[in-house]
Amino acid sequence: MTAVASARVLASDYEEVRACRGPRSRLHMAIAIHRTVDGRSLGGLRFEPYDTPDDALTDVKRLARAMTVKAAVTGLRLGGAKGVIAHPPASPPDPELRTLALHDFAQLVDSFDGRYITAQDAGTSIDDISCVGRFTDHIAGRPRCKGGSGDPSPYTAHGIEVAIRTTLQAPIAGRHIVIVGLGHVGSHLANRLHDAGARLTVADVNDAKLVLAEQLGAQWMTPEDAIGAEADVLAPCALGGMLDLDTISRLQVSVVAGAANNQLASDLAADALLERGIVWAPDFVINAGGLIAVEDELHGFDQRRVERSIERIGDTLNEIYDRASRAGTNNLIAAQQLAVQRSGGLDGNNT
Ligand SMILES: NC(=O)c1ccc[n+]([C@@H]2O[C@H](COP(=O)([O-])OP(=O)(O)OC[C@H]3O[C@@H](n4cnc5c(N)ncnc54)[C@H](O)[C@@H]3O)[C@@H](O)[C@H]2O)c1
């Protein structure tokens, strides 16, 4: 068996970070454990282009920390972690290289002796996670036919629907909702909202998504126009950083609630939304449906239990809105404070 010679990376706020070059694939990869709870941490594997190995390392640490906050505010006894495999932007891996890299990554996962559990994330599929699972036991999000929770996206979309319903404080039927990003989560969300009777406007950089828009009778717009569309709700379901001071000044909605991680370009954006009277449902609170499903698999997957737990995202959201209104603060600060309270502190190296 080829050994993975990984190097521990000095990262003071993190329980452990290891990086290596895969012995088979020669691709750079890293795992960051922000912290463990009861000896465990969980976070998906990103297989993405990065300009440099350092960029990948910065990203994996940032994402691991965000997983700690998400698990804490959701009330899951789980630490935050993340894994990345980086490929050069100009050369996406062919299937053979992909399998070698996933094998290398599985060995890196194994080197943590179960303290890190990996799962699907951006740039990986359920087939990729099955492939990793051929070489390590420490995976979650196995296919449904193998007793796993399967694709997390439908569960994430369920959580976003709960958040929209909770924030509107009214049924979804008849409301006008704009979805930007019709990928895994956005398309499930569009179907759910369509079934609930919403009027939809949708946007994506990929014109192939127009087919789904037509099937649902949704209006199609460019992402640029969709951000400024007059509607009840904007649901950002593409990439992070969409809400900056410029885009916020153009919003014509009363609610922003979507799946995209790190929607706010900076913390100042939370104040800008508050000043405009727009209710922002914090992304790391409402997009936890997938994490809830994957975590449930660790106890023997039970779909009804997962669905009940996702419905409770609404209670968490109401608590955040109450706290923010009582303290006169924004929803980001209120959500972060709740995460700290629910976990007894969010620093790494402390559990
Ligand atoms: N998949 C999950 O269960 C899950 C869980 C939590 C958070 N998230 C977050 O939700 C977001 C969407 O995840 P996903 O799994 O659906 O990803 P995805 O890659 O399947 O979908 C993203 C979609 O956004 C589109 N897109 C990219 N840039 C765009 C732009 N500038 N304007 C409009 N559309 C654009 C892409 O073409 C694609 O259709 C990501 O930020 C992800 O981190 C996903």
Side-chain angles (χ1 to χ4, degrees):
M1 199 182 204
T2 318
V4 168
S6 63
R8 286 176 81 125
V9 177
L10 280 178
S12 58
D13 289 340
Y14 290 75
E15 199 165 300
E16 192 164 348
V17 180
R18 286 188 197 170
C20 72
R21 206 154 175 197
R24 302 168 188 78
S25 64
R26 308 305 299 152
L27 292 182
H28 289 278
M29 50 193 70
I31 291 172
I33 296 183
H34 177 246
R35 72 173 199 166
T36 51
V37 172
D38 299 340
R40 286 187 317 194
S41 65
L42 191 149
L45 163 64
R46 289 202 165 183
F47 199 152
E48 296 271 293
Y50 289 95
D51 289 330
T52 68
D54 269 357
D55 288 350
L57 205 51
T58 303
D59 205 30
V60 79
K61 287 194 291 182
R62 185 181 59 85
L63 292 162
R65 189 177 174 82
M67 288 302 292
T68 293
V69 182
K70 189 185 299 196
V73 81
T74 308
L76 298 174
R77 290 210 53 79
L78 208 56
K82 210 78 172 185
V84 294
I85 304 174
H87 65 78
S91 48
D94 61 25
E96 193 185 343
L97 180 60
R98 194 171 184 88
T99 304
L100 294 176
L102 293 169
H103 191 169
D104 289 337
F105 183 76
Q107 271 195 283
L108 189 59
V109 172
D110 250 3
S111 71
F112 286 90
D113 289 326
R115 285 184 300 128
Y116 169 60
I117 300 162
T118 198
Q120 186 182 338
D121 202 278
T124 53
S125 65
I126 198 157
D127 288 343
D128 290 330
I129 295 311
S130 296
C131 178
V132 174
R134 282 172 26 217
F135 309 111
T136 176
D137 290 336
H138 307 301
I139 67 162
R142 290 180 166 81
R144 290 300 299 273
C145 61
K146 295 195 173 154
S149 52
D151 178 3
S153 315
Y155 302 104
T156 304
H158 179 177
I160 306 303
E161 184 190 339
V162 169
I164 291 174
R165 207 191 312 132
T166 303
T167 310
L168 286 173
Q169 296 181 313
I172 281 169
R175 296 308 186 111
H176 182 193
I177 300 172
V178 179
I179 303 175
V180 178
L182 274 190
H184 286 95
V185 180
S187 57
H188 282 292
L189 180 65
N191 276 295
R192 289 187 78 102
L193 296 175
H194 173 263
D195 291 350
R199 178 158 76 84
L200 293 179
T201 293
V202 296
D204 200 292
V205 286
N206 180 354
D207 288 345
K209 309 289 177 166
L210 188 55
V211 176
L212 177 61
E214 281 168 0
Q215 278 168 4
L216 299 178
Q219 187 182 0
W220 177 262
M221 277 189 189
T222 64
E224 191 63 16
D225 288 346
I227 289 167
E230 196 176 341
D232 294 299
V233 180
L234 173 68
C237 293
L239 306 179
M242 198 184 101
L243 298 169
D244 58 24
L245 299 184
D246 171 51
T247 50
I248 290 169
S249 71
R250 292 195 285 120
L251 294 178
Q252 294 198 74
V253 291
S254 52
V255 171
V256 176
N261 275 315
N262 304 321
Q263 287 165 28
L264 303 184
S266 74
D267 288 3
L268 289 178
D271 281 331
L273 286 157
L274 182 63
E275 276 160 22
R276 286 216 49 212
I278 297 168
V279 184
W280 176 67
D283 47 13
F284 57 90
V285 176
I286 69 172
N287 70 13
L291 178 64
I292 290 170
V294 168
E295 193 272 346
D296 194 79
E297 186 179 321
L298 305 177
H299 319 285
F301 184 66
D302 177 337
Q303 182 153 350
R304 285 211 188 130
R305 182 171 59 202
V306 167
E307 282 166 0
R308 283 197 301 273
S309 181
I310 291 173
E311 287 291 326
R312 286 198 290 274
I313 287 175
D315 301 332
T316 299
L317 210 45
N318 278 328
E319 191 171 342
I320 289 165
Y321 294 157
D322 276 356
R323 276 171 172 258
S325 134
R326 274 188 276 114
T329 186
N330 66 50
N331 291 340
L332 174 64
I333 291 173
Q336 287 168 336
Q337 287 174 345
L338 184 62
V340 171
Q341 185 186 315
R342 285 187 172 178
S343 66
L346 288 174
D347 293 337
N349 296 318
N350 67 348
T351 49

